[in-house]
Amino acid sequence: MPLHLRGTVLPDGVVRDLWTLGDRITFERPSAPADTVADGGFLLPGLVDVHTHPGAAAGDDPVFDPEVFAEQIAEHRDAGVTALRFPGLLGEIPDELREAPGSPRMITAGRWLAWAGLSRSAGFHTVTDDLVAAAVAEAKAHDGWCKLMGDWDFEAPPVPYELLRAVVDGVHAAGGRVAAHCQSAEGVLGAARAGVDSIEHGMGMPQECVGLMAGHGTSYVPTLTAFAQSAPLRAKDNARGRLWHEGHRTMIRRVQEAYDAGVTVLAGTDSAPHGNVAVEVEHLIGAGLPPEAAVGAASWTARAFLGLPLLAEGALADITVYDTDPREDAGVLRHPRRVVLRGRIIR
Ligand SMILES: [Zn+2]
């Protein structure tokens, strides 16, 4: 039976009736009787977490566990997350989970690629001498994205600019996109100059990166939730700890500057518990993003970034419903009244 929902459709802000026909949305009343599952409230095309890594088995070894993966994407889904991007996964998603009725839409980027000159130690890195070939292969093998470590160890220099540039050129020539992990001023600057498609974290970002990102069309995923969680654990009485805190303060400033410069800022959590992207929205607002932009960063703007439709005629049937307007009260995102995914009621 088609589902019928009526409410204020965001981001347009127009009150509409919409129906589901299987995994599609229509604004035209179907001939078959429909089950009204929402009447009133605010309708989003679901939430999106563009930086999360579900599926890591418990323990010291970085191993992919399909059961853990299934549990953690279910946590996202139950929180109203209808689409996920994984900038780094420890393994391949089982086919049966990809298109399962209860699975959010998933955009993968393969593994965390690390140039051999950068990393020899981190267990979750896939270390390679030929970063360009590996990046192109990952983007082709997955959903058009690859993920690479732009830097890693605080004491080691980041990936050389020329190499990073070759990766970007190679992946773009293959029709793919590059997500770059950066956590040092030098690392962010190199990634911004090279024109990667998304900068992840961006700790300590130099001011000139804002203009570079705007010029290249690079998106910014600061993952403020993860940094806010680890801030209390970082020392303040040694040089490295102070560098960390200064880098954290700087990245928070850059979030608003980037937004003001026209950079697409997106919500990613990078952290447990899974399904907490509503918290990232609150951090983005705290960093100075207008609330509407912060909600969009975890919903319609992120879906557009991933190539997924919004609430439109013929679009995918992903819908979340909230009692109040999240643009005025982002806290309501923690409490979806309804979650519809692939045309089926989740809650
Ligand atoms: Zn991450």
Side-chain angles (χ1 to χ4, degrees), residues 51-53 87 112 147 181 200-201 223 270:
H51 190 130
T52 181
H53 310 286
W112 290 262
K147 168 68 180 286
H181 165 111
E200 314 293 316
H201 318 304
T223 65
D270 199 22

Side-chain angles (χ1 to χ4, degrees), residues 29-243:
R29 182 190 302 274
S31 50
D35 182 10
T36 298
V37 296
D39 189 357
F42 291 78
L43 276 52
L44 291 184
L47 299 182
V48 183
D49 189 336
V50 301
H51 190 130
T52 181
H53 310 286
D60 294 336
D61 273 351
V63 174
F64 187 74
D65 183 331
E67 281 185 28
V68 173
F69 179 83
E71 286 166 15
Q72 292 177 337
I73 64 167
E75 289 167 12
H76 279 292
R77 176 201 67 207
D78 293 347
V81 175
T82 56
L84 296 161
R85 185 185 62 148
F86 308 126
L89 274 189
L90 290 168
E92 302 297 332
I93 300 170
D95 286 343
E96 63 272 20
L97 267 177
R98 265 262 181 190
E99 298 299 331
S103 289
R105 320 286 170 175
M106 295 184 256
I107 307 291
T108 59
R111 294 169 186 253
W112 290 262
L113 294 179
W115 175 52
L118 176 78
S119 172
R120 298 187 186 282
S121 56
F124 68 95
H125 290 175
T126 294
V127 179
T128 175
D129 286 319
D130 193 345
L131 195 58
V132 177
V136 170
E138 287 289 66
K140 283 184 174 172
H142 295 90
D143 298 297
W145 281 92
C146 65
K147 168 68 180 286
L148 58 95
M149 308 304 294
D151 55 19
W152 181 242
D153 197 326
F154 272 93
E155 280 78 40
V159 177
Y161 167 76
E162 295 302 333
L163 178 55
L164 211 46
R165 188 59 208 262
V167 169
V168 170
D169 288 347
V171 173
H172 284 179
R177 293 197 274 179
V178 178
H181 165 111
C182 311
Q183 62 184 31
S184 68
E186 300 76 23
V188 192
L189 183 57
R193 286 178 63 211
V196 301
D197 298 279
S198 69
I199 286 181
E200 314 293 316
H201 318 304
M203 195 172 211
M205 181 188 291
Q207 213 279 332
E208 64 186 295
C209 292
V210 170
L212 288 166
M213 285 195 292
H216 285 300
T218 301
S219 297
Y220 184 28
V221 185
T223 65
L224 297 173
T225 303
F227 287 89
Q229 281 180 2
S230 59
L233 309 175
R234 297 282 171 163
K236 290 186 170 170
D237 58 356
N238 62 46
R240 184 162 170 170
R242 284 192 291 274
L243 184 67

Side-chain angles (χ1 to χ4, degrees), residues 11 44 48 265-267 281 290-303 327:
L44 291 184
V48 183
V265 176
L266 297 169
V281 174
E292 181 164 5
V295 177
S299 182
W300 55 83
T301 308
R303 279 184 82 96
R327 299 170 300 179

Side-chain angles (χ1 to χ4, degrees), residues 333-344:
L333 294 176
R334 294 170 181 244
H335 309 291
R337 189 207 301 168
R338 270 277 177 235
V339 176
V340 173
L341 175 64
R342 300 177 189 264
R344 297 157 64 108

Side-chain angles (χ1 to χ4, degrees), residues 5-16 18 37-47 80 292 295 299-300 311 318-330 332-333 335-340:
L5 302 95
R6 177 178 173 79
T8 303
V9 173
L10 297 181
D12 298 344
V14 178
V15 177
R16 305 196 72 155
L18 56 83
V37 296
D39 189 357
F42 291 78
L43 276 52
L44 291 184
L47 299 182
E292 181 164 5
V295 177
S299 182
W300 55 83
L311 296 178
D318 300 338
I319 312 159
T320 48
V321 184
Y322 303 91
D323 287 331
T324 56
D325 188 343
R327 299 170 300 179
E328 292 171 6
D329 168 24
V332 77
L333 294 176
H335 309 291
R337 189 207 301 168
R338 270 277 177 235
V339 176
V340 173

